[in-house]
PDB file of all heavy atoms in Angstrom:
ATOM      1  N   TRP B 341     -68.322  99.123  -5.719  1.00 96.00           N
ATOM      2  CA  TRP B 341     -69.429  99.037  -4.749  1.00 96.00           C
ATOM      3  C   TRP B 341     -69.181  97.897  -3.755  1.00 96.00           C
ATOM      4  O   TRP B 341     -69.432  98.043  -2.553  1.00 96.00           O
ATOM      5  CB  TRP B 341     -70.754  98.789  -5.490  1.00 96.00           C
ATOM      6  CG  TRP B 341     -71.865  98.437  -4.544  1.00 96.00           C
ATOM      7  CD1 TRP B 341     -72.651  99.299  -3.833  1.00 96.00           C
ATOM      8  CD2 TRP B 341     -72.287  97.120  -4.172  1.00 96.00           C
ATOM      9  NE1 TRP B 341     -73.532  98.611  -3.036  1.00 96.00           N
ATOM     10  CE2 TRP B 341     -73.326  97.257  -3.225  1.00 96.00           C
ATOM     11  CE3 TRP B 341     -71.887  95.832  -4.536  1.00 96.00           C
ATOM     12  CZ2 TRP B 341     -73.969  96.165  -2.643  1.00 96.00           C
ATOM     13  CZ3 TRP B 341     -72.528  94.749  -3.961  1.00 96.00           C
ATOM     14  CH2 TRP B 341     -73.551  94.928  -3.033  1.00 96.00           C
ATOM     15  N   MET B 342     -68.644  96.787  -4.276  1.00 97.00           N
ATOM     16  CA  MET B 342     -68.416  95.620  -3.418  1.00 97.00           C
ATOM     17  C   MET B 342     -67.441  95.947  -2.275  1.00 97.00           C
ATOM     18  O   MET B 342     -67.551  95.392  -1.181  1.00 97.00           O
ATOM     19  CB  MET B 342     -67.848  94.490  -4.290  1.00 97.00           C
ATOM     20  CG  MET B 342     -67.698  93.151  -3.612  1.00 97.00           C
ATOM     21  SD  MET B 342     -66.758  92.059  -4.678  1.00 97.00           S
ATOM     22  CE  MET B 342     -65.119  92.728  -4.511  1.00 97.00           C
ATOM     23  N   MET B 343     -66.516  96.858  -2.526  1.00 96.00           N
ATOM     24  CA  MET B 343     -65.553  97.213  -1.478  1.00 96.00           C
ATOM     25  C   MET B 343     -66.076  98.327  -0.564  1.00 96.00           C
ATOM     26  O   MET B 343     -65.433  98.668   0.430  1.00 96.00           O
ATOM     27  CB  MET B 343     -64.221  97.667  -2.101  1.00 96.00           C
ATOM     28  CG  MET B 343     -63.458  96.596  -2.865  1.00 96.00           C
ATOM     29  SD  MET B 343     -63.247  95.043  -1.966  1.00 96.00           S
ATOM     30  CE  MET B 343     -62.357  95.599  -0.530  1.00 96.00           C
ATOM     31  N   SER B 344     -67.224  98.883  -0.894  1.00 96.00           N
ATOM     32  CA  SER B 344     -67.753 100.002  -0.110  1.00 96.00           C
ATOM     33  C   SER B 344     -68.270  99.512   1.239  1.00 96.00           C
ATOM     34  O   SER B 344     -68.513  98.317   1.451  1.00 96.00           O
ATOM     35  CB  SER B 344     -68.887 100.687  -0.873  1.00 96.00           C
ATOM     36  OG  SER B 344     -70.015  99.816  -0.914  1.00 96.00           O
ATOM     37  N   GLU B 345     -68.475 100.476   2.145  1.00 95.00           N
ATOM     38  CA  GLU B 345     -69.014 100.132   3.464  1.00 95.00           C
ATOM     39  C   GLU B 345     -70.407  99.539   3.335  1.00 95.00           C
ATOM     40  O   GLU B 345     -70.793  98.639   4.100  1.00 95.00           O
ATOM     41  CB  GLU B 345     -69.037 101.383   4.354  1.00 95.00           C
ATOM     42  CG  GLU B 345     -69.381 101.077   5.797  1.00 95.00           C
ATOM     43  CD  GLU B 345     -69.149 102.271   6.716  1.00 95.00           C
ATOM     44  OE1 GLU B 345     -68.489 103.240   6.279  1.00 95.00           O
ATOM     45  OE2 GLU B 345     -69.635 102.224   7.851  1.00 95.00           O
ATOM     46  N   ASP B 346     -71.165 100.044   2.361  1.00 95.00           N
ATOM     47  CA  ASP B 346     -72.532  99.523   2.161  1.00 95.00           C
ATOM     48  C   ASP B 346     -72.506  98.002   1.951  1.00 95.00           C
ATOM     49  O   ASP B 346     -73.334  97.277   2.497  1.00 95.00           O
ATOM     50  CB  ASP B 346     -73.165 100.168   0.924  1.00 95.00           C
ATOM     51  CG  ASP B 346     -73.633 101.577   1.218  1.00 95.00           C
ATOM     52  OD1 ASP B 346     -73.604 101.953   2.407  1.00 95.00           O
ATOM     53  OD2 ASP B 346     -73.994 102.281   0.256  1.00 95.00           O
ATOM     54  N   ALA B 347     -71.572  97.540   1.123  1.00 96.00           N
ATOM     55  CA  ALA B 347     -71.524  96.107   0.825  1.00 96.00           C
ATOM     56  C   ALA B 347     -70.822  95.337   1.937  1.00 96.00           C
ATOM     57  O   ALA B 347     -71.302  94.280   2.386  1.00 96.00           O
ATOM     58  CB  ALA B 347     -70.809  95.872  -0.501  1.00 96.00           C
ATOM     59  N   GLN B 348     -69.688  95.864   2.400  1.00 94.00           N
ATOM     60  CA  GLN B 348     -68.899  95.119   3.394  1.00 94.00           C
ATOM     61  C   GLN B 348     -69.645  94.968   4.722  1.00 94.00           C
ATOM     62  O   GLN B 348     -69.660  93.882   5.304  1.00 94.00           O
ATOM     63  CB  GLN B 348     -67.551  95.831   3.617  1.00 94.00           C
ATOM     64  CG  GLN B 348     -66.617  95.793   2.414  1.00 94.00           C
ATOM     65  CD  GLN B 348     -66.083  94.402   2.123  1.00 94.00           C
ATOM     66  OE1 GLN B 348     -65.674  93.689   3.022  1.00 94.00           O
ATOM     67  NE2 GLN B 348     -66.117  93.999   0.864  1.00 94.00           N
ATOM     68  N   VAL B 349     -70.246  96.049   5.161  1.00 93.00           N
ATOM     69  CA  VAL B 349     -70.958  95.984   6.440  1.00 93.00           C
ATOM     70  C   VAL B 349     -72.430  95.649   6.239  1.00 93.00           C
ATOM     71  O   VAL B 349     -72.977  94.751   6.886  1.00 93.00           O
ATOM     72  CB  VAL B 349     -70.813  97.330   7.206  1.00 93.00           C
ATOM     73  CG1 VAL B 349     -71.608  97.298   8.505  1.00 93.00           C
ATOM     74  CG2 VAL B 349     -69.343  97.605   7.485  1.00 93.00           C
ATOM     75  N   GLY B 350     -73.058  96.373   5.281  1.00 95.00           N
ATOM     76  CA  GLY B 350     -74.506  96.219   5.090  1.00 95.00           C
ATOM     77  C   GLY B 350     -74.900  94.866   4.522  1.00 95.00           C
ATOM     78  O   GLY B 350     -76.060  94.451   4.663  1.00 95.00           O
ATOM     79  N   VAL B 351     -73.967  94.180   3.887  1.00 95.00           N
ATOM     80  CA  VAL B 351     -74.312  92.870   3.315  1.00 95.00           C
ATOM     81  C   VAL B 351     -73.522  91.755   4.019  1.00 95.00           C
ATOM     82  O   VAL B 351     -74.113  90.838   4.590  1.00 95.00           O
ATOM     83  CB  VAL B 351     -74.027  92.835   1.799  1.00 95.00           C
ATOM     84  CG1 VAL B 351     -74.350  91.452   1.235  1.00 95.00           C
ATOM     85  CG2 VAL B 351     -74.839  93.900   1.081  1.00 95.00           C
ATOM     86  N   LEU B 352     -72.182  91.854   3.992  1.00 92.00           N
ATOM     87  CA  LEU B 352     -71.378  90.744   4.504  1.00 92.00           C
ATOM     88  C   LEU B 352     -71.397  90.668   6.033  1.00 92.00           C
ATOM     89  O   LEU B 352     -71.720  89.616   6.603  1.00 92.00           O
ATOM     90  CB  LEU B 352     -69.937  90.873   3.991  1.00 92.00           C
ATOM     91  CG  LEU B 352     -69.768  90.674   2.476  1.00 92.00           C
ATOM     92  CD1 LEU B 352     -68.331  90.962   2.046  1.00 92.00           C
ATOM     93  CD2 LEU B 352     -70.154  89.255   2.071  1.00 92.00           C
TER      94      LEU B 352
END
Side-chain angles (χ1 to χ4, degrees):
Chain B
W341 169 84
M342 187 190 73
M343 294 310 301
S344 70
E345 189 169 347
D346 283 351
Q348 292 291 315
V349 177
V351 178
L352 293 174

